[in-house]
């Protein structure tokens, strides 16, 4: 049975707020975010002209508002995400003159990135004048029909990709994403025929990859940029920046990564004779480490030789372990406030009526164990680094309400989404 050697950890606070008090006031399971951690991660990327938050990672409008105040732009992959961006104070167009001062081409505060327009998304981008990053050539004619003369970004699949899981690899033949690199000449003809101007180029090869793979993208992008030519004003390195989840993992060398992309940008500026805006599009990097799921231990039991700690959060709350075998650090906040010096080797599971509802599992659904401080019913178990692809992938499976979300800033917690009620669960249904 695989296990990890992580030191059992006790945790009584999140960003200066008491875990016990948070659970008492808001109930469990509960998502808690550390505002200052998100700000810190935004500022880590200050060298880039534009940091564009891939809000699919964590789209609560309070979080979007927070990153907006840090000067971060936003990506939207659906009409719902456009709606969220607007609700958080983003506008489709930047204030006039804001980019000219830096000698840079204008920025699009909201970009719609997808491989298709569903009909409501096409209506929304046309009505609001939102810039589109097109991952298929069919999108070009559909957009041109509604917004004649629009400028567009092309999302290009460079023919290779990498992710923390095969399910998050977005490049190569195994991925549906982006316009295939070899099709660029043909797609440029289609864009010209449709009367569109190609001003942006974007590549995103996968999520949770490593810098060695990401670095290969800069060269691939440069090649396609030369094919597009002087209409190009913005290049985007996409997202994919990793964060350390497991003990022993470390943060990536961001300054080396920027230097690499900056060199690519400068080369293109020399070729084209004008400034090029350099964007990065992280999701996970900005919010993963800020987020915690606070759960309550509701049962501790043995199945033969294996001990299970069952909590009130399941894969309805945090789906990453069941989907990808993802590892999330865990800590314990004992109910009695006392230390629990004795470590225990346990599997951690949730309340759902499905065997796969296990947080300590490896890819393929194999149950693993974790060394945790000995847990008792009533203790709080905190699942960490859950701020990216956490709440946004939560579901109502087993008719469980979506949890509340709390943002802690300066030690003060603020409820930013109320827990769903039983009536929320059946809203819109008819007998
Ligand atoms: N840009 C594009 C076009 C993307 O498709 C994504 C992620 C990102 C940026 C942000 O990637 P990040 O910086 O967060 O790695 N549910 C999975 C991750 C799916 C990512 C989908 N696209 C997980 O929990 O790991």
């Amino acid at each position: 049975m695989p296990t990890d050697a992580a030191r059992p950890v006790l945790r009584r606070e999140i960003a200066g707020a008491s875990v016990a008090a948070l659970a008492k006031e808001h109930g469990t399971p509960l998502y808690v975010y550390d505002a200052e951690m998100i700000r810190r991660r935004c500022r880590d990327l200050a060298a880039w002209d534009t940091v564009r938050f891939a809000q699919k990672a964590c789209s609560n409008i309070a979080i979007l508002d927070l990153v907006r105040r840090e000067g971060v732009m936003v990506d939207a992959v659906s009409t719902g995400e456009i709606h969220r961006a607007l609700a958080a104070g983003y506008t489709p167009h930047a204030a006039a003159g804001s980019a000219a001062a830096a000698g840079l081409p204008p920025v699009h505060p909201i970009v719609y990135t997808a491989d298709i327009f569903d009909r409501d998304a096409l209506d929304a981008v046309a009505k609001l004048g939102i810039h589109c990053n097109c991952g298929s050539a069919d999108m070009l004619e559909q957009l041109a029909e509604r917004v004649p003369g629009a400028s567009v970004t092309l999302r290009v699949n460079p023919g290779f990709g990498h992710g923390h899981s095969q399910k998050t690899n977005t490049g190569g033949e195994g991925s549906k994403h982006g316009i295939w690199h070899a099709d660029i000449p043909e797609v440029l003809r289609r864009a010209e025929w449709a009367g569109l101007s190609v001003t942006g180029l974007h590549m995103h090869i996968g999520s949770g990859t490593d810098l060695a793979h990401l670095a290969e993208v800069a060269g691939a992008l440069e090649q396609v940029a030369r094919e597009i030519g002087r209409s190009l004003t913005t290049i985007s390195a996409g997202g994919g920046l990793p964060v350390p989840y497991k003990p022993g993992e470390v943060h990536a060398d961001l300054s080396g990564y920027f230097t690499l992309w900056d060199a690519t940008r400068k080369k293109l500026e020399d070729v084209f004779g004008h400034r090029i805006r350099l964007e990065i599009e992280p999701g996970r990097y900005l919010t993963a480490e800020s987020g915690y799921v606070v759960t309550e231990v509701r049962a501790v039991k043995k199945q033969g030789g294996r001990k299970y700690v069952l909590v009130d959060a399941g894969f309805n709350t945090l789906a990453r372990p069941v989907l990808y075998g993802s590892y999330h650090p865990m800590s314990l906040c004992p109910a009695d406030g006392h230390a629990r010096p004795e470590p225990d080797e346990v599997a951690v599971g949730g309340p759902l009526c499905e065997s796969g509802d296990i947080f300590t599992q490896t890819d393929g659904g194999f149950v693993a164990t974790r060394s945790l401080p000995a847990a008792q019913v009533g203790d709080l178990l905190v699942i960490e680094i859950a701020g990216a692809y956490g709440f946004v992938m939560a579901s109502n499976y087993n008719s469980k309400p979506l949890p509340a979300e709390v943002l802690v800033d300066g030690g003060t917690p603020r409820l930013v989404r109320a827990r769903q009620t039983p009536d929320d669960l059946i809203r819109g249904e008819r007998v």
Side-chain angles (χ1 to χ4, degrees):
M1 184 166 30
T3 181
D4 72 68
R7 192 170 46 86
V9 186
L10 294 172
R11 170 180 287 283
R12 302 191 197 284
E13 287 190 354
I14 295 173
S18 148
V19 172
L22 284 166
K24 190 163 179 215
E25 170 144 18
H26 300 288
T28 54
L30 175 70
Y31 270 89
V32 180
Y33 306 98
D34 173 353
E36 199 48 38
M37 174 61 89
I38 299 175
R39 290 193 192 100
R40 203 178 310 155
R41 292 293 168 249
C42 293
R43 291 170 194 172
D44 287 349
L45 298 171
W48 298 72
D49 300 330
T50 307
V51 179
R52 184 175 300 288
F53 181 41
Q55 65 167 290
K56 73 198 85 180
C58 187
S59 57
N60 185 294
I61 59 172
I63 306 276
L64 297 187
D65 173 66
L66 191 156
V67 301
R68 182 180 61 78
R69 289 170 193 275
E70 287 295 307
V72 168
M73 302 296 151
V74 73
D75 177 59
V77 299
S78 64
T79 314
E81 287 194 353
I82 292 172
H83 186 62
R84 287 180 173 281
L86 297 172
Y90 284 98
T91 52
H93 304 285
S98 53
L104 282 168
V107 68
H108 304 289
I110 307 172
V111 170
Y112 173 81
T113 299
D115 295 282
I116 64 159
F117 286 118
D118 35 27
R119 291 182 187 276
D120 60 335
L122 188 53
D123 285 344
V125 300
K127 181 168 146 242
L128 296 162
I130 288 179
H131 185 81
C132 296
N133 178 9
C134 302
S136 64
D138 288 322
M139 292 175 76
L140 299 175
E141 283 94 6
Q142 292 166 17
L143 181 66
E145 200 178 299
R146 299 290 296 275
V147 190
S151 73
V152 290
T153 294
L154 301 184
R155 174 176 181 178
V156 174
N157 178 333
F160 60 86
H162 191 254
H164 67 76
S165 150
Q166 197 40 43
K167 293 172 191 157
T168 66
N169 176 343
T170 59
E173 283 188 21
S175 166
K176 66 177 179 174
H177 292 293
I179 294 167
W180 189 249
H181 58 103
D183 293 344
I184 284 298
E186 164 65 13
V187 170
L188 290 173
R189 276 194 291 277
R190 276 174 77 169
E192 193 180 347
W193 187 249
L196 301 175
S197 152
V198 178
T199 55
L201 175 59
H202 168 279
M203 283 185 188
H204 171 81
I205 60 156
S207 194
T209 179
D210 53 56
L211 287 197
H213 285 91
L214 287 175
E216 291 173 32
V217 180
L221 183 135
E222 185 190 330
Q223 227 174 317
V224 177
R226 287 170 186 267
E227 290 180 64
I228 294 173
R230 290 198 71 243
S231 63
L232 207 60
T233 58
T234 302
I235 56 172
S236 172
L241 287 181
V243 299
Y245 284 98
K246 289 189 182 149
E249 289 180 349
V250 293
H251 280 103
D253 168 20
L254 293 181
S255 92
Y257 188 55
F258 172 75
T259 304
L260 173 93
W261 273 99
D262 193 34
T264 300
R265 173 253 292 278
K266 284 181 177 138
K267 260 192 260 176
L268 293 173
E269 286 181 340
D270 286 346
V271 176
F272 299 149
H274 60 72
R275 296 293 311 275
I276 298 276
R277 178 178 285 279
L278 177 58
E279 295 203 0
I280 189 165
E281 194 176 70
R284 185 186 318 273
Y285 186 78
L286 298 190
T287 59
E289 294 158 283
S290 77
Y292 301 79
V293 183
V294 179
T295 72
E296 186 185 344
V297 175
R298 299 301 303 156
V300 179
K301 64 180 182 178
K302 263 191 157 176
Q303 309 286 69
R306 191 175 298 179
K307 195 165 182 182
Y308 285 81
V309 170
L310 301 185
V311 299
D312 58 6
F315 72 69
N316 57 311
T317 319
L318 176 69
R320 300 192 73 254
V322 72
L323 282 177
Y324 319 112
S326 300
Y327 179 102
H328 285 267
M330 293 177 192
S331 48
L332 195 79
C333 178
D336 51 19
H338 295 133
R340 296 278 167 76
E342 290 307 312
D344 223 355
E345 196 60 34
V346 296
V348 178
L352 300 180
C353 202
E354 182 159 335
S355 306
D357 187 26
I358 295 288
F359 289 112
T360 49
Q361 64 180 286
T362 54
D363 201 11
F366 302 100
V367 176
T369 58
R370 191 73 64 86
S371 183
L372 284 173
Q376 295 174 9
V377 170
D379 288 347
L380 299 169
L381 179 99
V382 182
I383 307 175
E384 307 190 350
I385 319 194
Y389 309 106
F391 182 91
V392 290
M393 298 208 309
S395 76
N396 286 130
Y397 187 43
N398 280 201
S399 289
K400 293 281 190 182
L402 292 177
E405 293 176 287
V406 167
L407 182 64
V408 183
D409 202 357
T412 307
R414 176 161 60 98
L415 182 68
V416 294
R417 180 182 171 116
R419 181 178 309 282
Q420 280 188 327
T421 64
D423 278 344
D424 290 334
L425 288 175
I426 54 173
R427 194 173 314 284
E429 293 184 28
R430 302 278 187 283
V431 175

